[in-house]
Amino acid sequence: MTKNFKEAVKHRRSYYNITNSSPISDNEIKEIIDFAVTNVPSAFNSQSTRVVLLLGENHKKFWVITKEALRVIVPAEAFEKTLAKINTSFDCGYGTILFY
């Protein structure tokens, strides 16, 4: 293992203060995702993972659709808590990455 990888793992942290800005360009985000998906191990080296990157208006539209879909299936008494979690975590982010 390279020292850079070990250092990256050692200093990795979860960030819960999600904002709608990014310190890197959209192109760099795409390059990182492409690199990770291409190089992550997969069963029988099938590389079957598919990724959708949503930025800008597509990110916002996705969370509008998600909230409306959840409104139908989440019990009314629990929906406000679900909505609050989406609004303060996922929806307020810079983008969304969907893995398939």
Side-chain angles (χ1 to χ4, degrees), residues 6-95:
K6 288 181 179 179
E7 285 299 310
V9 171
K10 182 178 178 181
H11 296 289
R12 187 214 59 82
R13 300 290 178 264
S14 294
Y15 294 94
Y16 296 100
N17 186 15
I18 298 173
T19 67
N20 64 354
S21 64
S22 175
I24 62 174
S25 71
D26 293 356
N27 193 51
E28 287 176 287
I29 293 170
K30 184 183 178 311
E31 287 176 10
I32 291 167
I33 294 168
D34 287 345
F35 179 83
V37 170
T38 301
N39 291 287
V40 70
S42 60
F44 304 104
N45 200 28
S46 63
Q47 302 303 74
S48 58
T49 300
R50 298 294 179 256
V51 176
V52 175
L53 172 62
L54 303 173
L55 299 171
E57 284 304 309
N58 290 324
H59 161 74
K60 290 292 184 191
K61 287 178 190 176
F62 174 79
W63 289 107
V64 168
I65 293 167
T66 300
K67 288 184 256 190
E68 291 308 311
L70 288 173
R71 186 182 307 277
V72 174
I73 62 173
V74 174
E77 63 275 5
F79 183 72
E80 286 305 314
K81 187 174 181 180
T82 299
L83 188 60
K85 179 66 174 177
I86 291 171
N87 288 339
T88 59
S89 295
F90 312 118
D91 186 21
C92 64
Y94 183 77

